[in-house]
Amino acid sequence: MGSLSSYGKTTEVSRITEDKRYIVFSLVDSDKGIHVDIREYLNTPKYEGPTKKGIRIKPELMEKIVDCLNEVDAVLRGEESGDWPGSGTSGDPYQVPNDSH
């Protein structure tokens, strides 16, 4: 991929699509420099576009963030210590248990 060079430019890098919502991974060149933006978008009859649900981070934090996400993934899969309520259950390791007593 080439470098961003024009101020105010947003370049979509990847996306995850789930029904009427999707998460877009993009690079944003603003007055504060280039940042990584991870944001939820909606595509419904009433609204199509970005939501406030997202994060914009400095590129130099990417390696640390990926490491943290890998740690979270390991805990969810029961590969690391940390008693996640969903660990050890059958099915999807990412399924948050319904804790309605």
Side-chain angles (χ1 to χ4, degrees), residues 10-70:
T10 299
T11 303
E12 182 175 323
V13 176
S14 187
R15 74 169 54 193
I16 299 170
T17 303
E18 291 183 346
D19 196 26
K20 296 177 182 176
R21 29 181 106 233
Y22 50 99
I23 300 170
V24 174
F25 298 79
S26 58
L27 297 174
V28 178
D29 188 0
S30 71
D31 60 341
K32 297 179 183 177
I34 296 174
H35 288 80
V36 177
D37 191 78
I38 304 169
R39 188 147 319 274
E40 182 180 70
Y41 285 69
L42 292 178
N43 186 7
T44 66
K46 291 186 177 185
Y47 178 74
E48 181 177 348
T51 69
K52 292 181 180 181
K53 295 178 182 178
I55 185 170
R56 186 170 289 183
I57 56 174
K58 297 176 183 180
E60 53 269 18
L61 292 176
M62 285 299 299
E63 187 175 344
K64 289 180 181 180
I65 290 171
V66 169
D67 289 345
C68 289
L69 289 172
N70 286 331

